[in-house]
Amino acid sequence: MPLNIPILLTWLRVVLIPVFVVVFYLPSSWISPTCANWLGALIFAFASITDWLDGYLARRWEQTSSFGAFLDPVADKLIVAVALILLVGFDRTSMIWAMIIIGREITISALREWMAQMGKRKNVAVAYIGKLKTTAQMVAIVLLLINSENFMGLNLQVIGNILMIVAAVLTIWSMFYYLKIAKENFTSETDK
């Protein structure tokens, strides 16, 4: 397993997952619910930034590896799934949006793994629609973690849930986009 700064940033994201969860379950005598919300949102936002940064640094410094290509999406999907489950558990967003997003992530991860086994992983590389989905999703999660009904005159719960709906729609759209790209490989495999 190669160790370099991009891989360490990815591992940091994995290590932050239990820290992120514990913040929301600390006794209110230790940390107020508002502070826990903000701290959790900051941890998640930091993890989201490291997601972009580790990929950028790996490409820039030519430190890409098979292990990094495996671990990076796993770390991303784990922290997003945990955040969505927390948000549903705290009744801050609808279970349907979480199920759509988590279901799509599992589907596309399996599709990418299957395509990689055929040597065609680049056929389902991240597209612009996937980047839009990820941006809407990450911003929605941060706003819903903050959970403020009046932040500088804005209701972050409402805005976060609107963005969660946008992320769910983009999630479905991007899933069908990737499935369409892979469709020709499905038919060629079943014809063998």
Side-chain angles (χ1 to χ4, degrees):
M1 173 183 72
L3 270 181
N4 53 44
I5 291 174
I7 294 276
L8 290 174
L9 286 172
T10 305
W11 275 117
L12 176 61
R13 231 171 22 260
V14 173
V15 170
L16 283 176
I17 294 170
V19 175
F20 169 69
V21 173
V22 166
V23 162
F24 289 98
Y25 290 98
L26 290 172
S28 57
S29 59
W30 291 13
I31 186 171
S32 74
T34 301
C35 285
N37 288 341
W38 276 95
L39 182 56
L42 286 172
I43 291 170
F44 184 84
F46 175 75
S48 298
I49 291 166
T50 65
D51 175 26
W52 171 82
L53 185 61
D54 65 11
Y56 172 78
L57 292 177
R59 288 184 300 275
R60 171 105 184 188
W61 295 342
E62 297 180 4
Q63 294 180 340
T64 58
S65 67
S66 298
F67 182 73
F70 158 77
L71 185 62
D72 182 64
V74 169
D76 302 342
K77 282 149 188 52
L78 282 174
I79 198 160
V80 167
V82 167
L84 290 169
I85 291 166
L86 278 173
L87 290 171
V88 169
F90 294 145
D91 201 29
R92 297 183 189 180
T93 196
S94 172
M95 186 183 299
I96 191 73
W97 312 135
M99 290 188 318
I100 287 170
I101 291 169
I102 293 170
R104 180 266 190 198
E105 295 302 339
I106 292 168
T107 302
I108 299 306
S109 292
L111 176 68
R112 286 190 174 129
E113 179 62 29
W114 180 66
M115 295 292 284
Q117 288 177 357
M118 295 180 1
K120 298 181 179 183
R121 183 178 179 89
K122 290 185 180 183
N123 290 13
V124 286
V126 177
Y128 184 71
I129 184 83
K131 292 179 182 185
L132 282 178
K133 183 267 313 176
T134 300
T135 301
Q137 173 182 286
M138 297 306 190
V139 173
I141 291 172
V142 168
L143 296 180
L144 292 168
L145 288 170
I146 294 170
N147 194 40
S148 175
E149 292 182 5
N150 187 12
F151 177 74
M152 298 172 55
L154 299 172
N155 187 329
L156 300 186
Q157 289 175 323
V158 170
I159 297 168
N161 273 298
I162 290 169
L163 284 172
M164 190 62 71
I165 293 167
V166 169
V169 169
L170 291 172
T171 292
I172 294 167
W173 186 1
S174 66
M175 182 177 72
F176 284 114
Y177 171 81
Y178 291 122
L179 289 173
K180 182 182 173 194
I181 289 173
K183 182 180 177 191
E184 64 190 50
N185 296 293
F186 286 134
T187 53
S188 66
E189 279 295 304
T190 56
D191 293 341
K192 291 181 180 178

